[in-house]
Amino acid sequence: MKGYFLSDIDLEEETLDLQGLALKTPVLSPEKLAEISDRLIDAQKTLAEQSIFKIVDWIDSAARLWLDPNDSIRQEAESLLPVVGGDSKEMVHLALEDLFKNLTRPVLLQLLEEELGDITLLDHFRPKLKGAGFTRAFGPRLTAHILPGNIPGVSVISLVCGLLAKSANLAKVSAEEILLPVLFARSLQKSRPELARALAILYWDPASSEITEAAFQKAELAVVYGSDPTIEQVRKMIPSRLRALFHGNRLSLGIVARESVGPEIAEAAALDVALYDQRGCLSPHLYYIEEGGAASPLEFAQWVAQALYTLSFRLPKGRISQEEASQIQQLRGALPLKGGKVFPSPAGVDWTVLYDPDPSFALSPLARTVWIKPVSHLSEIPPRLEAVRPFLQAAGIAIPMERRSEMVLSLAKMGIGRFCPIGKMQKPPMTWRHDGRFRLLDFLRFVDLENP
C-alpha cells in the first residue's frame, strides 16, 4: 500500500519495510519537490476562494467518516496503526475516537471563535474592534510541516490548522506515524477531493538534508515538531526569510494536595500515565504528593500501581525498545539502594511506580514509568522545578480551590502553560494553547485597511 498521499502527480516509488509491512514511498529530489510545491500552490488558489464555513464543513465530513466504525478507512487504520506505530489496538481505538471528535464542526467553530473572534476575518475585510478601518486574516500559500511521530493525531491537527488557514500543506511524516496522516488525506479525498488537493503527505529519510531544504523553498510558513537536537538541525535548513513555528521537547507533572490524596485521584493519575504509553509532552514524569493528608504519599504510590495494573488489561501497553526496558530495569534496581521503593508490574516492564523520598525533580524513562515524590508543603515545589523550567508544559492538579490560586500563579510564572484536573492531562481541548501559543492564529498574517 502507499505510505504517502499526493493528488494528480505520478511519482517513482520504492518500498519501505516497517515492522513487516511493505509501504510504497516516493523517490524524491529537490526538483520533484519544487514541482509538488507548485502544484500545491496552484491548488491553494481554489482553497482560498472558499468560505471558511465550507472548509469547516468539509473537514467535519471527513471526521464523521472516521467516527463511523464501519468506514473502510477507519477499519484500515485500526488494523494497521498498531503494526506500524507499536500502540495496542485498544489504545489506537481510543486515540482515533478522541482525535476525530475534536475535528467536528462544533469544535472547529469553537476554536475559530476563540482565536479570531470574528470567523469571517478569513473571508472578508471586517471592521476593526478598536479604532477605525478594517482588517482581514490570510494564511500562507504553502505551509511546510515536519510532523511528529510520538503521539497519534498531533500530525493531523497540524494539517487541519493549515487547512483552516486556507493554506496548502506539504508535510514530511515520521516513520513512526507514517500512516495516520496519509489515511486522513485519503478520507478528505473520499469526501471532498478539492480539499485533498491542497495536501501532500510524504516520507523521506531524515538524513536527506537536501530534500528537507527543498521542502521549505517555496513555503511561506514552516511548522516543525521534534526533539531539540532535531529542531536545531532543521532550523539550519530553513531560509531566513521564512516564518517558523517550532515544537520541541517538553515535560509535564502532577501535583496532589494533602486534602486530595486518595484512591480516586490515584486512579486518575494512572490514566494520565497509561495513555499513549506516556510518550507525549503532556505525559506526567512525576507526581508531587503533599504530606499530612488522610493517606501518605507511599500509600498513594501503591494505589497508582494498583490502578496501572488494572489499566494494563483495558489499555494494554504497546511495543517498547530494549534500550527503554534496560533503563527501567536499572532504575528498579538502583532506587531501593537510595532509600526508595519500587512497585513494578508482575511481569516485564509493563509499568513501574518509583517512590522516592528525595523531592528533587527527576525525569522518567517514560513507557508507563512514573515517580511519586513527597513534599511537606506545596510551596516547596516551584524551586524544585527550576532546572527544568525551559521545558515545562502542563500540570495536572488536585488542589482545593482555596489553595489553588497561589500555586497556579507560581507555576505559571515558571512557564507551565496548562493546568487541568488529574486524569485529563492527555485530553486537552482544541482551544488549548500548545506551548503557550495559539493553535491557528500563529498560521495567519493580518492585513489592515485604513480609512481615507
Side-chain angles (χ1 to χ4, degrees), residues 80-139:
L80 296 178
L81 293 183
V83 176
V84 174
D87 290 305
S88 67
K89 291 181 179 180
E90 294 84 353
M91 193 72 75
V92 166
H93 179 84
L94 179 66
L96 293 178
E97 288 292 312
D98 284 349
L99 170 62
F100 288 101
K101 285 177 183 176
N102 275 323
L103 299 183
T104 55
R105 189 176 197 273
V107 180
L108 295 179
L109 290 178
Q110 182 184 36
L111 171 65
L112 287 161
E113 290 170 358
E114 170 73 19
E115 299 203 2
L116 281 171
D118 184 350
I119 298 175
T120 60
L121 283 170
L122 286 161
D123 292 340
H124 314 287
F125 277 95
R126 299 289 293 160
K128 299 179 76 171
L129 293 178
K130 303 281 187 180
F134 301 84
T135 191
R136 182 174 175 179
F138 290 87

Side-chain angles (χ1 to χ4, degrees), residues 428-447:
M430 274 293 281
T431 51
W432 167 53
R433 293 182 173 91
H434 188 186
D435 290 349
R437 300 203 300 258
F438 290 97
R439 280 196 191 272
L440 178 61
L441 215 56
D442 280 352
F443 278 68
L444 304 175
R445 65 183 178 89
F446 289 81
V447 176

Side-chain angles (χ1 to χ4, degrees), residues 334-342 354-357:
L335 184 59
L337 302 177
K338 300 177 181 179
K341 189 170 179 61
V342 178
L354 303 167
Y355 175 80
D356 186 5

Side-chain angles (χ1 to χ4, degrees), residues 206-278:
S208 300
S209 58
E210 64 173 4
I211 304 298
T212 305
E213 288 177 4
F216 298 120
Q217 293 311 305
K218 297 195 175 188
E220 292 182 351
L221 175 68
V223 181
V224 182
Y225 290 82
S227 66
D228 287 350
T230 296
I231 284 178
E232 285 309 305
Q233 290 176 2
V234 173
R235 192 191 297 268
K236 299 172 185 176
M237 306 177 196
I238 298 175
S240 58
R241 62 162 177 82
L242 190 61
R243 192 162 56 91
L245 306 175
F246 298 102
H247 298 285
N249 292 337
R250 295 291 185 272
L251 56 88
S252 298
L253 70 150
I255 299 169
V256 183
R258 59 172 65 97
E259 298 90 341
S260 303
V261 178
E264 290 186 1
I265 297 298
E267 290 174 7
L271 180 62
D272 283 335
V273 173
L275 282 176
Y276 312 121
D277 293 342
Q278 213 179 2

Side-chain angles (χ1 to χ4, degrees), residues 376-396:
S376 59
H377 194 273
L378 296 182
S379 60
E380 297 177 25
I381 296 172
R384 301 288 179 184
L385 302 179
E386 192 62 43
V388 293
R389 181 176 186 143
F391 307 102
L392 293 172
Q393 179 76 289

